[in-house]
Amino acid sequence: MTTRVQRLGHRPRREAGSTAVPSGKAAYRKLINPLQPQRSFSDDQIATLHDTALRVLENLGMRVLNEEAFEYFRDAGAKVDSSTSTVFIDRGLVQKALASAPGSFALAGASSERDIQIGGSNTAFVCIGGPPNVMDIDRGRRAGTQEDMRSFFKLSQHFEVLHIQGVNVEPQDVPLELRHLVQTEGQLTLSDKPLFVYARGSDQVKDMFEMIRIARGLDNEGFRARPHCFTVINTNSPRQLDVPMCQGIIDFARAKQVTIITPFTLAGAMAPITIAGALALQHAEALAGITLSQIVNPGAPVVYGSFTSNVDMKSGSPAFGTPEFVRAAFGAGQLARHIGLPWRGSAATASNTPDAQSTYEYLNSAWGSVLGGVNMMLHAAGWLESGLSASLEKFILDVEMLQTIAEIFQTADLETDNLYEAIAEVEPGGHFFGAPYTMARYQTAFYQPLVSDWRNFGQWSEDGAKTATMRANTIWKKVVENFEAPPLQAGAEEALKDFVARRTREGGAFPV
Amino acid sequence: MTTRVQRLGHRPRREAGSTAVPSGKAAYRKLINPLQPQRSFSDDQIATLHDTALRVLENLGMRVLNEEAFEYFRDAGAKVDSSTSTVFIDRGLVQKALASAPGSFALAGASSERDIQIGGSNTAFVCIGGPPNVMDIDRGRRAGTQEDMRSFFKLSQHFEVLHIQGVNVEPQDVPLELRHLVQTEGQLTLSDKPLFVYARGSDQVKDMFEMIRIARGLDNEGFRARPHCFTVINTNSPRQLDVPMCQGIIDFARAKQVTIITPFTLAGAMAPITIAGALALQHAEALAGITLSQIVNPGAPVVYGSFTSNVDMKSGSPAFGTPEFVRAAFGAGQLARHIGLPWRGSAATASNTPDAQSTYEYLNSAWGSVLGGVNMMLHAAGWLESGLSASLEKFILDVEMLQTIAEIFQTADLETDNLYEAIAEVEPGGHFFGAPYTMARYQTAFYQPLVSDWRNFGQWSEDGAKTATMRANTIWKKVVENFEAPPLQAGAEEALKDFVARRTREGGAFPV
């Protein structure tokens, strides 16, 4: 591996002409969603869902398996039943939490141009997180490796339309107790975007927070002053918060870093079979997690997460991008706005290969999220096989769709001046190719696609009749091959390396 | 070919078990779009676009190449310039036309359950129309035949989510002067849905109107009392109405059948390079056609058509499903609502094969149309290669996406009663598979997909690792193979056959 100085000394390879893959427009860095949010429910129905969730928390309660979290709830005034580890959270406690949780906040990157506002009409797209496997059309499906992980970090860094890193594929060639170190080092050295940190136990979290401080040149105070990273807390639906998840809420709230509380409420499996029922349970569980975070540290940044979808009632398999998924997304967005918190959605598919199914399921989920007013759309690039695989080709296809959405958001250039004059330039039956109005605008008038091929059938056939997935294969390889990492602060890379080496010698930290 | 009586005497083959392909829910027959329409422009900007179009018609005018149409405009009070065949249409004439054109009307099928309301929040999906070529993954791309045409009629009849027939692929094995006869006979004998009639000259139109009267048992009066068919009128953008298109408007308006006035305004080619500029021209041309229809016969049903998209400025190739396409669709919907007419949009792609690109371009166009408040979405199933091919596999993939949209429209069953009780049925950490709330609903709770495969990677691989496009291939073949035509009125099939035989002997009618 070359050092940072050597890399910066070279002319960046991506300027070298034909090998370059456009990273997209600078305007993609801050996306404001101008679309009307869609609704699945009336205001009265939303009030009913909210009230149902409050009654569930008050009367049925949540099982809280982490002792510290259990005590936090009890000390804050919740009724508890120690014999069943159940916490009954009254609505006063929930309201207080909702009053202190920020409705909007900035997630900090390595420089201010990478800061991302979370909340309101701001929309952030986040790379895939979590799959054990990786796929590409050359090598098929296989266990993820550190090299694959680094490829996804590079891809996520390269494209402006991805705003926040995810941990993408699990590096199975790295021992369990060291993975958090290489995942965090990879994000911090290959990218200057805000990053993801797993909540798999306090020892790991402590390591990763320290690495962020090293990379970004922050002391404890400076780190706590702003959120730099986020984690996802999945409740064990129905109505259960397990040990590491509670610990994650506590660790992140104390450090004022971002938790996304995401119940995994698959309708018919871990939640009632109706969309309304699944959302009511989702809402109760999310409120429980949000309340814990605010009890621990009022004002800690917390995001309302949703992942409600349906399952195949014959096999129990989860389904994504379905009509139920889209309607649940609209409803989840309504519930998030009802409580005044940022909303996290997803773009997902159950397809086993990057084909037409993966595309329509993904794009329906993405439209559902965007039309629901999503603030953080997770798994926005590369997700396949219900999250069991990350696909390198699908990553590129997804970026094309994300860029299309980002362009739809850019409404500012809808010029309505001089239209009459523009039309008058051309006689009936003529064409506008050489008209002055055209010549003044043709270079930037339209979105230039990344993958789409608009050539005619003959030209396309002569060039090998490549499908979009085959073209995506060429594109991801070029990006990875020509990647130049953004510069780190002086000495940070060495310091990070030293830290990882020391913690490796010490045995790392196993997940809880 | 079996006779109608023989067919009806048999038990329909589609009930024969495993060979059956679900046609979708009866509720798909009447779709009401509950989504908030999206906007590309402010109300002021829409007023500007409308005013610009009126100024274009008043001051720049339209070239009208059909003498009868030219005289209609002159006699109605438009200023004309005979030397350039130009008609200057003042805004008073346009306003009068907009006042007489119906804002909503029913398009009649063979029975009342096939009637489709056009306008308001009603949404109708229309099969592909027009391509010379056909594609499937067994035989590749080839010239369309009568057999292919009949396959598409069967597919369009089979699926409830397609509301209106299109002429689909051009039957190139039928002589030009006879095609209109086989296209119309095919629609009338294989389908009971409202149909498409080409406006390629009065002689052809006369034949086809007569065939509809024969099939539906109508006299002249009965035929004119309701619209039974529609045609598409493309202006020759910019600002030109050619001979057959004008004649089509005249013939259809006189018979009170439906015209869709669709300017072919590709931004940067046949229209100004900005979306606003292209829409202003589209609006002017559509208003010209609408005005002609209302001059000929006030109250004739007419639809505001749009097909505005962009082109690749390097090659001039059209592009679809682009951000510009979506924003143009939102704007076109606004313009249609501004003048109070039903709006026709499209779902299109420039891809040369049914791959990820064809899927995301199609689905982005479809969402753009649906979110724009589309009333008739043309090319809703099977369109490929910028309209140069109809794909049998893509037809099935598109039906899956249309059914998903139709399900998203069905909001009535979002029950919000007894949610608390449903949640209380299951203990923390348990599951809902066997819960009473689940058992009461599991058979109908969720949309059952047509193509999507939700099995895990292992099961899917063992079953041949088929892509969605490969599965779609199996499905269209089953539908075509097991197709049962709906019954015609007694004697209608023979009478149609006699009519076609006679007109064939007489030499048919060539397109103009």
Side-chain angles (χ1 to χ4, degrees):
Chain A
M1 199 171 113
T2 56
T3 68
R4 178 74 44 190
V5 176
Q6 283 176 314
R7 278 192 225 152
L8 290 175
H10 284 293
R11 179 188 173 80
R13 267 174 291 175
R14 65 184 149 191
E15 291 179 10
S18 65
T19 58
V21 176
S23 63
K25 295 181 192 167
Y28 299 164
R29 288 190 182 189
K30 314 271 179 199
L31 296 181
I32 308 286
N33 182 348
L35 301 174
Q36 292 286 315
Q38 299 295 337
R39 298 151 58 95
S40 281
F41 299 98
S42 68
D43 289 345
D44 282 355
Q45 288 177 317
I46 288 293
T48 298
L49 290 174
H50 184 67
D51 184 66
T52 301
L54 294 176
R55 286 165 59 210
V56 166
L57 292 176
E58 285 172 333
N59 303 322
L60 301 174
M62 287 287 289
R63 187 184 286 165
V64 176
L65 299 174
N66 178 299
E67 279 182 34
E68 195 177 1
F70 190 84
E71 280 164 28
Y72 264 121
F73 275 117
R74 192 188 52 203
D75 294 349
K79 277 190 299 179
V80 297
D81 178 348
S82 301
S83 68
T84 58
S85 304
T86 305
V87 166
F88 302 92
I89 309 166
D90 70 84
R91 62 186 66 205
L93 215 48
V94 174
Q95 305 298 14
K96 197 175 158 194
L98 294 178
S100 67
S104 178
F105 55 85
L107 188 53
S111 66
S112 62
E113 65 180 12
R114 290 293 185 205
D115 292 355
I116 295 295
Q117 194 66 28
I118 307 293
S121 298
N122 299 283
T123 306
F125 297 133
V126 187
C127 178
I128 182 172
N133 304 303
V134 65
M135 264 192 222
D136 62 62
I137 58 176
D138 303 314
R139 293 168 290 182
R141 181 182 186 261
R142 57 214 154 78
T145 66
Q146 193 175 178
E147 189 205 331
D148 297 316
M149 177 196 80
R150 293 174 62 85
S151 293
F152 280 102
F153 288 148
K154 292 172 185 175
L155 290 165
S156 300
Q157 172 66 16
H158 178 80
F159 291 105
E160 299 285 2
V161 82
L162 286 162
H163 304 99
I164 302 170
Q165 285 282 353
V167 285
N168 65 67
V169 71
E170 196 72 14
Q172 296 196 53
D173 55 348
V174 177
L176 264 181
E177 68 277 18
L178 304 179
R179 278 187 204 166
H180 67 291
L181 301 173
V182 305
Q183 285 169 327
T184 308
E185 190 182 23
Q187 291 182 84
L188 289 169
T189 56
L190 297 170
S191 177
D192 56 4
K193 298 180 181 180
L195 67 159
F196 178 87
V197 162
Y198 267 122
R200 290 175 171 170
S202 296
D203 291 345
Q204 288 198 352
V205 168
K206 199 178 139 197
D207 280 344
M208 295 187 277
F209 285 177
E210 180 61 23
M211 290 173 78
I212 296 172
R213 283 189 287 264
I214 293 170
R216 302 276 154 95
L218 299 164
D219 59 13
N220 243 320
E221 196 97 353
F223 178 69
R224 283 173 45 97
R226 307 177 65 191
H228 303 270
C229 62
F230 78 102
T231 199
V232 173
I233 302 296
N234 291 127
T235 54
N236 303 112
S237 307
R239 295 191 287 119
Q240 186 165 287
L241 270 164
D242 70 14
V243 176
M245 292 290 101
C246 286
Q247 199 58 53
I249 294 175
I250 294 168
D251 292 339
F252 275 68
R254 281 181 183 154
K256 284 230 173 187
Q257 302 302 303
V258 179
T259 46
I260 303 178
I261 314 291
T262 310
F264 194 49
T265 37
L266 289 175
M270 290 85 103
I273 195 167
T274 58
I275 293 302
L279 287 176
L281 181 60
Q282 166 193 294
H283 198 58
E285 296 180 2
L287 289 175
I290 291 162
T291 299
L292 176 59
S293 86
Q294 300 303 304
I295 291 171
V296 173
N297 193 358
V302 60
V303 174
Y304 182 85
S306 75
F307 209 78
T308 294
S309 193
N310 56 307
V311 297
D312 180 350
M313 290 310 293
K314 276 169 266 168
S315 65
S317 303
F320 301 101
T322 60
E324 293 78 19
F325 183 100
V326 173
R327 282 156 56 173
F330 295 168
Q334 288 185 271
L335 287 166
R337 286 191 294 281
H338 186 71
I339 61 170
L341 286 196
W343 170 48
R344 165 259 159 111
S346 305
T349 172
S351 180
N352 290 301
T353 189
D355 64 348
Q357 179 186 339
S358 77
T359 307
Y360 64 69
E361 288 184 340
Y362 168 86
L363 193 50
N364 277 331
S365 325
W367 272 108
S369 299
V370 163
L371 292 170
V374 74
N375 299 114
M376 291 178 79
M377 188 166 89
L378 268 65
H379 310 304
W383 220 65
L384 208 58
E385 203 201 328
S386 299
L388 292 175
S389 282
S391 158
L392 286 153
E393 286 84 16
K394 184 162 179 293
F395 187 100
I396 299 297
L397 295 167
D398 294 349
V399 166
E400 179 86 299
M401 292 182 261
L402 294 175
Q403 291 188 164
T404 298
I405 289 170
E407 290 281 337
I408 293 168
F409 285 2
Q410 317 287 318
T411 53
D413 63 342
L414 288 169
E415 332 168 21
T416 49
D417 295 336
N418 305 319
L419 302 182
Y420 178 88
E421 292 72 18
I423 293 169
E425 284 178 358
V426 178
E427 287 299 298
H431 65 76
F432 288 76
F433 283 117
Y437 189 79
T438 305
M439 296 309 286
R441 290 167 179 79
Y442 77 97
Q443 283 177 313
T444 57
F446 306 132
Y447 170 61
Q448 289 295 318
L450 181 65
V451 185
S452 296
D453 188 333
W454 297 337
R455 290 175 299 174
N456 68 34
F457 189 85
Q459 294 168 321
W460 173 80
S461 298
E462 276 164 33
D463 196 26
K466 295 190 189 81
T467 64
T469 302
M470 290 158 75
R471 297 192 300 271
N473 177 271
T474 307
I475 294 170
W476 75 255
K477 287 180 188 166
K478 273 192 193 173
V479 173
V480 170
E481 191 189 321
N482 295 297
F483 183 78
E484 291 285 329
L488 263 78
Q489 300 196 3
E493 193 160 7
E494 280 312 303
L496 269 179
K497 213 170 272 182
D498 291 347
F499 179 86
V500 171
R502 176 171 67 79
R503 291 293 296 130
T504 301
R505 283 193 308 273
E506 290 167 2
F510 279 91
V512 176
Chain B
M1 200 170 114
T2 56
T3 68
R4 180 73 44 189
V5 176
Q6 283 176 312
R7 277 191 223 153
L8 290 174
H10 285 292
R11 178 187 174 82
R13 268 174 290 176
R14 65 183 149 189
E15 290 179 11
S18 66
T19 58
V21 176
S23 62
K25 296 182 191 164
Y28 299 165
R29 287 190 183 188
K30 314 271 178 199
L31 295 182
I32 307 285
N33 182 347
L35 302 174
Q36 293 286 317
Q38 300 294 337
R39 300 151 57 95
S40 281
F41 299 97
S42 67
D43 290 344
D44 283 353
Q45 288 177 316
I46 288 294
T48 298
L49 290 175
H50 184 67
D51 184 65
T52 301
L54 294 176
R55 286 167 59 211
V56 166
L57 293 176
E58 285 172 333
N59 303 323
L60 300 174
M62 288 287 288
R63 187 184 289 165
V64 176
L65 298 175
N66 177 299
E67 278 182 34
E68 196 178 359
F70 190 84
E71 280 164 27
Y72 264 121
F73 274 118
R74 191 187 54 203
D75 294 350
K79 275 190 299 176
V80 297
D81 177 347
S82 302
S83 68
T84 58
S85 303
T86 305
V87 166
F88 302 91
I89 309 167
D90 70 85
R91 62 186 66 206
L93 214 48
V94 174
Q95 305 298 13
K96 198 175 159 195
L98 294 178
S100 67
S104 179
F105 55 85
L107 188 53
S111 67
S112 62
E113 65 179 12
R114 289 294 185 204
D115 293 354
I116 295 294
Q117 194 66 27
I118 308 293
S121 298
N122 298 284
T123 306
F125 296 133
V126 187
C127 177
I128 182 172
N133 304 302
V134 65
M135 264 192 223
D136 62 60
I137 58 176
D138 304 315
R139 292 169 289 182
R141 180 182 187 261
R142 57 213 153 80
T145 66
Q146 193 175 178
E147 189 205 331
D148 297 316
M149 177 195 79
R150 293 174 62 85
S151 293
F152 280 102
F153 288 148
K154 292 172 185 176
L155 290 165
S156 300
Q157 172 65 15
H158 178 80
F159 291 105
E160 299 285 2
V161 82
L162 287 162
H163 304 99
I164 301 171
Q165 286 282 354
V167 284
N168 65 68
V169 70
E170 196 72 13
Q172 297 197 52
D173 54 346
V174 177
L176 264 182
E177 69 276 19
L178 303 179
R179 277 187 203 167
H180 68 293
L181 301 173
V182 304
Q183 285 169 327
T184 308
E185 189 181 24
Q187 290 181 85
L188 290 168
T189 56
L190 297 171
S191 177
D192 56 3
K193 297 180 181 180
L195 67 158
F196 178 87
V197 163
Y198 267 121
R200 290 174 172 171
S202 295
D203 290 345
Q204 288 198 352
V205 168
K206 200 178 138 197
D207 280 344
M208 295 187 277
F209 284 177
E210 180 61 23
M211 292 173 76
I212 297 172
R213 282 189 286 265
I214 293 169
R216 303 273 155 95
L218 299 164
D219 59 12
N220 242 319
E221 196 99 352
F223 177 69
R224 283 173 45 98
R226 307 178 65 192
H228 304 269
C229 62
F230 78 102
T231 198
V232 173
I233 301 295
N234 291 126
T235 54
N236 303 112
S237 307
R239 293 193 289 120
Q240 187 165 287
L241 271 165
D242 70 15
V243 175
M245 292 290 101
C246 285
Q247 198 59 51
I249 294 176
I250 294 168
D251 292 340
F252 275 67
R254 281 182 182 152
K256 283 228 175 192
Q257 302 302 305
V258 179
T259 46
I260 304 178
I261 314 290
T262 310
F264 195 49
T265 36
L266 289 176
M270 289 86 101
I273 195 166
T274 57
I275 294 302
L279 287 177
L281 180 61
Q282 166 193 296
H283 198 59
E285 296 181 3
L287 289 175
I290 291 162
T291 300
L292 176 58
S293 87
Q294 300 303 304
I295 291 172
V296 173
N297 193 358
V302 60
V303 174
Y304 181 85
S306 74
F307 209 78
T308 294
S309 193
N310 56 306
V311 297
D312 180 349
M313 290 310 293
K314 277 169 266 170
S315 66
S317 303
F320 301 102
T322 60
E324 293 77 20
F325 183 100
V326 173
R327 283 156 54 174
F330 295 169
Q334 288 184 272
L335 288 165
R337 287 190 294 281
H338 186 72
I339 60 170
L341 287 196
W343 171 48
R344 165 260 160 110
S346 305
T349 171
S351 180
N352 291 300
T353 188
D355 64 349
Q357 179 186 339
S358 77
T359 307
Y360 63 68
E361 288 184 340
Y362 168 85
L363 193 50
N364 277 331
S365 327
W367 271 108
S369 299
V370 163
L371 292 170
V374 74
N375 299 112
M376 293 179 79
M377 189 167 87
L378 268 64
H379 310 303
W383 220 66
L384 208 59
E385 203 201 326
S386 299
L388 293 175
S389 283
S391 158
L392 287 153
E393 286 84 17
K394 183 161 180 293
F395 187 101
I396 299 297
L397 294 167
D398 294 348
V399 166
E400 179 86 299
M401 292 182 260
L402 294 175
Q403 291 188 164
T404 298
I405 290 170
E407 290 281 337
I408 293 168
F409 285 2
Q410 318 287 317
T411 52
D413 63 341
L414 288 170
E415 333 168 20
T416 49
D417 295 336
N418 305 321
L419 301 182
Y420 178 89
E421 292 73 17
I423 293 169
E425 285 178 359
V426 178
E427 287 299 296
H431 66 75
F432 288 76
F433 283 117
Y437 188 80
T438 304
M439 296 309 285
R441 290 167 179 79
Y442 76 97
Q443 284 177 311
T444 57
F446 305 132
Y447 169 61
Q448 290 294 318
L450 180 65
V451 185
S452 296
D453 188 333
W454 296 338
R455 290 176 300 175
N456 67 33
F457 189 85
Q459 294 168 321
W460 172 81
S461 297
E462 276 164 34
D463 196 25
K466 295 191 188 80
T467 64
T469 301
M470 291 159 75
R471 298 193 299 273
N473 176 272
T474 308
I475 295 170
W476 75 255
K477 288 179 188 166
K478 274 193 191 172
V479 172
V480 169
E481 192 188 320
N482 295 295
F483 184 77
E484 291 284 331
L488 264 77
Q489 300 196 2
E493 193 160 7
E494 279 313 303
L496 268 179
K497 212 170 273 184
D498 291 347
F499 178 86
V500 171
R502 176 171 66 80
R503 290 293 296 131
T504 301
R505 283 194 309 273
E506 291 169 0
F510 278 93
V512 175

